[in-house]
Amino acid sequence: MSNATDRLRVAVQKSGRLAEPSLALLRRAGLVFRSSRDHLFLYGENLPIDVLLVRDDDIPGLLVEGSCELGIVGRNVLTEQRYGNGAAPSPAELIALGFGACRLAIAVPQTSAIATLRDLDGLRIATSYPALLAGWLDAEDLRAEIVVLNGSVEIAPRLGKADAICDLVSSGATLAANQLREFATVFESEAVLAASPRKAPAAKALLIERLCARIGGAQSGDGVRLLMLQAPRTALADITRVLPARDPPSVMSLDGRPDDIAVQALCSVALDWQHLEELKRLGAHGLMVLNVERMLA
Ligand code: PRT
Ligand code: ZN
């Protein structure tokens, strides 16, 4: 099925870890939605961009078949599908989104004597990510047996179904609660914006570009502050040295005050009270720090 309308469709997880942050990101990119009665579809009111709310595992398939042009999904889900699909066209990762961070890791019982990767040879490893695990075992030249489970992977060793597990970890609390210790990282993941492998018609391609630019803009404002101050012109070099700025600051002359300047600088969050006090000591005054909501280069 291909999506023949001129509206862009973005697949987003309906409920789960990525659901809230995905919609929040689209809203920060300026999209306004009206929800359908069954809450499975969000109609874009200010741009021809709609959201389809689905299970995360369905997102790669929707992109491959072209029902949706874009999707927000864990890189783990996307890559598992890609490895599992051989040479078939697969969705491309457009932007790493910085939330939903986790790692696919091998864990073994705390009491296990396993100490090196070679010790995994010949063991049974339970996972819901057989393709990612197989790729890693291959790359490490290890021969372990993969036991595919679709849930509750962490209890497999206790049930005697496996000697080790390969599962997603974020805080590590689940491993600890199941008396498992993390042993090796197989894959690092976070939520990504992915695109259908099908070529979009020109109008949709432009819309995709526009949405990507807005998402990039919403992201680049994260944690960025705009610092504004005035200072004697002679203090500029010292002030610039102290600023945790991303780029050289903008410097402006002030009408009728030839010895003074106004300075604006985009700074990282590392801008704290100590920085401001130091700047004041160097002669700056009228210091102001503002949150940056969005940026467009
Ligand atoms: O219903 P649907 O199929 O859509 O949801 P789901 O249950 O398959 O997915 P969900 O919501 O659990 O996860 C969606 C995505 O979030 C995953 O594909 C990952 O990209 C990302 N993510 C980030 C995680 C985690 N962190 C995570 N910790 N997904 C799962 N977990 C699980 C993990 O499997 C383990 O059971 O949380 C447990 C470990 O967490 P810690 O904090 O105890 O280490
Ligand atoms: Zn799922």
Side-chain angles (χ1 to χ4, degrees), residues 13 16-17 55-57 74 76-77 100 102 167-168 170-174:
Q13 191 186 26
R17 289 165 201 263
R55 289 201 55 188
D56 69 341
D57 317 72
N76 49 304
V77 172
C102 57
D167 198 10
L168 296 176
S170 44
S171 68
T174 304

Side-chain angles (χ1 to χ4, degrees), residues 147-178:
V147 179
V148 182
L149 293 181
N150 283 324
S152 306
V153 170
E154 63 280 356
I155 60 171
R158 251 186 300 153
L159 296 180
K161 286 187 181 173
D163 309 297
I165 68 163
C166 172
D167 198 10
L168 296 176
V169 181
S170 44
S171 68
T174 304
L175 292 186
N178 288 281

Side-chain angles (χ1 to χ4, degrees), residues 6 8 69 199-212:
D6 338 326
L8 204 65
E69 288 81 12
K199 192 169 158 42
K204 276 190 183 178
L206 274 179
L207 205 51
I208 291 173
E209 231 174 83
R210 202 166 148 202
L211 182 62
C212 286

